[in-house]
Amino acid sequence: MAVWGEVAVLVKGRVVGVVFAQELSRLLAGSGWTAAFLADEAKVSRSYLSKLLRGTQSPSAAVARALDAALGAGGALAMLREVSEVPRPAQLPAAPLRWVGRTAEFARMDAALEQSQEARAPVVVSVDGPPGVGKTGLALTWAQSVAARFPDGQLYVDLCGYSPGGRATPPGEVLEGFLVALGLPAGQVPPRWEQRAAAFRTLVRGRRLVVVLDNAADADQVEPLLPGSEGCGCVVVVTSRSTLAGLAVRHDAVGIALDPLPLDEATALAEALVGSDRAWAEPAALRRVVAGCDRLPLAVRIAGQRIAGQRGATIAELVEGWSDEAARLDTLTADATTGVRAALSWSYRALPDPAARMFRLVGLVGPHRGRTIGGEAAAALAGVDPGRARRLLAVVAGTHLIEEGDRPGRFYLHDLLRAYAVERCTAEDTAQAREAAVGRVCAWYLHTAVRACRALAPSRFSPLRPVPLPEGAEPLGFTDDAAAMRWLDTELAAIPAVVELARRSGWREAAWQLPVALFDYFQIRKPWHVWVRTHEAAEQAAAEVGDRAALGWVLTNLAEAWRGQRAFARSGELYEKAIALRRAGEGVHGLAWALGGAAFLEVDRGQAAAEDGDRAEAERCFAVAGERAREAAGLFEQVGDVEGQAVMRATLGDIDRAQGRLEHAAAGLRRALELLGEVGHDYARAMAEARLAAVEAARGRRARPTCCWAEPVTGSGRCGNGGTWPRC
């Protein structure tokens, strides 16, 4: 595992010291060395090492690297030094209400847990079965029942292994989210999935966590997400439509195959939903419901909820025609069942026309459990006002054709429900109506994102002329940057799907503009997989429309994403492509930012070379960085971009600092802060103040930042002056 560069964050020293001490003690015990011998090898004082081992001292970056090298830890200590806190994630979604049955399966899972606790080893449980059989319900219900025994928290992810028309979530993307949830700043998440997997195993060592990996495609998708066996007290529950035999062979997983509920349990579930009085009054009719649902929990729940909502009719009256309808329906998907589809159709036909249309259109966006849709986006999709959209979503939710997510007023679709919604939309809505709906929602996301990022960075030059707003798509406005950040955080998971929907549906201008519009947000939060994934789709969209200027912006942003992950070679290739495009006549402003980004990259390369002891290479990189930063500064002055000038001055300050010219560095950073004070960019000011404080510390002076400095990439929202990000 590689060692990654420092990030300017406010490290919570005492907590970090404890986490670091635990791993350092483990590594020292495994080495067979004494603490005195390690201190000599790492060239640190014995008293300092003693404080590190007790957890009363937070290590410096240099000491962490020295101890890593001495112990052959492969960067584990350097990574732990960057953990800004030890959070207790609580990511498990709510389990189904009125849970009935699966007693034998629960007993097997309990037994596996007890055995693993006795052996002090992690336990892996693999639950497989057909769609609608209740795999996720079982996993969540059991995980919630044992969560109290795992005090370090719970992690959850929908791996989208069988989401219709979607893509299985790559392990590296999941690991990025897990690492940040476990306290690693996003800027320190390594670029390669193998490094992320190693970092994950390090962070969970010695911790007791519940991990639910839902809807897996295969064992290869799951294995990088498993904790290591050494010193880990975790339990992992995996669900899949496939039998994950590899997990049993390689990880001793306990395999549980779910069949449809036994008749008595399926009937008990239906009774719990419709009420005992009605169930006992019409036992034969209730059995018809259960039989028509093929004893599948998903279908029984939908049908039972439908009956419960119709108090004025008998069960027999409500299920009249059930058998005929089920008989004439084709299978929903290749592996779905007639029972599920019959239940869906029964509830769908009962919806009022406007609510049925909303259900169909939401299927086009396809929100799953981790990617929800809210009333405002649904309003744009349907071309109605937000209040009406929320009422229609509530009507659909009342039939259980759509489920409320982890936040009130936001909803998602089970993958079978999404497939059914898309099928009905294709059958009942014209191609023109579908295209208009997609255009409205894509334009709504684009214009709202532009407004949100303008609130974060009001002075930032924007290259965008957003696609026109269709009628019925009114974007949100934001009173301050905190409100904008909340919206962006909420919608982050939906953004890649919207970009891909726009490109796939022919709205290619929106497909490249939306990722570019989000640049300032991406810089703050650093959601690497979303940044890269959306910009790769944007690159394709810009190429498809033949817009070279658009391609230049996309490549510059994508290069910055790879630079942030310290993938220097890939970043350099993209910056050179962007610079070549710009020099060919695709915009002075774009050339300035491409050169500026390339200067940032050379500074990073120079610092890495200096850390490796290659002073000649470091000086070469700093010289190239200076040339590019000065050229960029001149171009920014030419076009009157004050913020760009300030950023380049700050970069030159970094170069002066790296080369030991501390007085010049301080002067340059002060001038950068003066310029940034004119434009009011809080995040850029915070970065410059942190850099100035570091320079002054190197000069033996004390400088406390006056600007709001946060650790924004973890979402902690705390700043160096005790306030909250984005503003105190």
Side-chain angles (χ1 to χ4, degrees), residues 333-372:
T333 62
D335 58 356
T337 66
T338 302
V340 171
R341 184 164 180 171
L344 299 184
S345 178
W346 191 41
S347 290
Y348 172 72
R349 298 301 176 193
L351 286 173
D353 288 344
R357 175 175 176 266
M358 177 63 81
F359 170 69
R360 297 195 301 270
L361 293 179
V362 167
L364 296 177
V365 181
H368 54 68
R369 186 182 288 274
R371 188 177 71 214
T372 56

Side-chain angles (χ1 to χ4, degrees), residues 84-380:
S84 59
E85 57 182 317
V86 184
R88 185 180 182 275
Q91 298 183 346
L92 286 182
L97 296 175
R98 300 186 183 89
W99 181 262
V100 174
R102 302 300 191 194
T103 305
E105 289 82 358
F106 262 69
R108 287 193 62 196
M109 297 168 83
D110 287 339
L113 178 59
E114 295 303 327
Q115 291 173 5
S116 72
Q117 299 300 292
E118 292 174 7
R120 301 182 64 81
V123 60
V124 179
V125 177
S126 174
V127 181
D128 64 81
V133 80
K135 300 181 294 295
T136 300
L138 174 66
L140 292 178
T141 302
W142 184 77
Q144 294 281 16
S145 74
V146 300
R149 300 174 61 178
F150 295 86
D152 295 315
Q154 313 106 39
L155 297 171
Y156 171 87
V157 66
D158 182 347
L159 294 172
C160 302
Y162 287 88
S163 294
R167 99 200 212 290
T169 308
E173 187 174 311
V174 177
L175 287 165
E176 179 185 333
F178 280 0
L179 290 173
V180 172
L182 291 169
L184 183 66
Q188 297 301 300
V189 173
R192 291 169 42 209
W193 73 262
E194 298 94 336
Q195 296 171 323
R196 293 177 179 182
F200 176 65
R201 291 192 294 271
T202 298
L203 280 182
V204 300
R205 184 182 291 127
R207 300 175 75 172
R208 295 175 57 76
L209 292 151
V210 175
V211 183
V212 177
L213 307 175
D214 198 14
N215 196 14
D218 50 40
D220 290 342
Q221 187 188 22
V222 169
E223 288 186 279
L225 310 178
L226 298 179
S229 58
E230 183 182 354
C232 178
C234 297
V235 59
V236 182
V237 185
V238 186
T239 75
S240 178
R241 294 185 191 176
S242 301
T243 302
L244 305 181
L247 296 185
V249 173
R250 293 186 291 274
H251 300 279
D252 200 25
V254 176
I256 295 178
L258 289 190
D259 294 318
L261 286 169
L263 181 59
D264 59 338
E265 292 187 358
T267 304
L269 175 58
E271 179 181 322
L273 292 162
V274 305
S276 298
D277 291 346
R278 298 179 75 187
W280 295 345
E282 299 181 79
L286 193 65
R287 284 195 295 272
R288 285 182 60 199
V289 173
V290 171
C293 292
D294 290 342
R295 295 179 285 117
L296 289 167
L298 175 64
V300 172
R301 286 185 179 279
I302 293 171
Q305 186 67 30
R306 170 87 178 101
I307 294 169
Q310 300 290 314
R311 306 286 305 177
T314 66
I315 298 176
E317 289 170 343
L318 290 171
V319 299
E320 186 177 357
W322 172 281
S323 299
D324 292 339
E325 184 172 24
R328 66 174 181 265
L329 287 173
D330 298 325
T331 305
L332 178 57
T333 62
D335 58 356
T337 66
T338 302
V340 171
R341 184 164 180 171
L344 299 184
S345 178
W346 191 41
S347 290
Y348 172 72
R349 298 301 176 193
L351 286 173
D353 288 344
R357 175 175 176 266
M358 177 63 81
F359 170 69
R360 297 195 301 270
L361 293 179
V362 167
L364 296 177
V365 181
H368 54 68
R369 186 182 288 274
R371 188 177 71 214
T372 56
I373 189 170
E376 293 85 359

Side-chain angles (χ1 to χ4, degrees), residues 356-579:
R357 175 175 176 266
M358 177 63 81
F359 170 69
R360 297 195 301 270
L361 293 179
V362 167
L364 296 177
V365 181
H368 54 68
R369 186 182 288 274
R371 188 177 71 214
T372 56
I373 189 170
E376 293 85 359
L381 188 66
V384 300
D385 68 81
R388 179 165 173 75
R390 284 189 282 269
R391 289 192 294 273
L392 293 174
L393 288 170
V395 171
V396 180
T399 66
H400 278 232
L401 290 176
I402 192 170
E403 298 290 338
E404 193 163 36
D406 57 352
R407 301 188 187 190
R410 298 192 65 85
F411 299 88
Y412 70 91
L413 289 167
H414 185 285
D415 51 9
L416 291 181
L417 296 173
R418 178 190 170 194
Y420 183 73
V422 170
E423 179 192 72
R424 296 319 317 152
C425 194
T426 303
E428 299 181 36
D429 296 293
T430 66
Q432 183 179 6
R434 296 195 300 272
E435 181 181 349
V438 170
R440 283 192 302 270
V441 77
C442 291
W444 180 85
Y445 269 103
L446 171 60
H447 282 261
T448 303
V450 168
R451 292 184 178 188
C453 286
R454 180 61 55 85
L456 296 183
S459 63
R460 173 81 73 184
F461 167 79
S462 174
L464 300 177
R465 292 182 180 176
V467 298
L469 265 172
E471 185 177 353
E474 181 60 34
L476 298 178
F478 300 96
T479 56
D480 55 36
D481 44 12
M485 187 66 80
R486 285 193 297 271
W487 180 81
L488 289 161
D489 287 343
T490 299
E491 295 289 351
L492 176 63
I495 295 298
V498 173
V499 172
E500 289 167 8
L501 175 66
R503 191 190 67 79
R504 191 172 63 245
S505 303
W507 297 90
R508 294 184 180 86
E509 290 288 330
W512 75 259
Q513 289 182 354
L514 179 54
V516 170
L518 291 167
F519 177 73
D520 286 291
Y521 174 71
F522 287 158
Q523 269 203 320
I524 294 170
R525 284 292 194 241
K526 295 178 174 58
W528 299 124
H529 73 273
V530 175
W531 190 340
V532 169
R533 180 178 165 191
T534 56
H535 277 74
E536 287 178 344
E539 181 182 1
Q540 189 173 351
E544 288 169 351
V545 297
D547 190 333
R548 290 167 60 83
L551 188 58
W553 286 112
V554 172
L555 292 176
T556 300
N557 288 6
L558 189 55
E560 184 65 9
W562 287 116
R563 182 185 78 86
Q565 298 176 80
R566 302 184 69 78
F568 294 154
R570 178 61 176 149
S571 177
E573 292 171 5
L574 291 165
Y575 271 128
E576 292 308 317
K577 286 182 181 179
I579 291 169

Side-chain angles (χ1 to χ4, degrees), residues 460 589 593 632-633 636 641-649 676:
R460 173 81 73 184
H589 221 136
W593 279 115
F636 282 128
D641 188 329
V642 176
E643 181 181 344
Q645 295 175 58
V647 172
M648 290 306 104
R649 284 184 178 273
L676 288 168

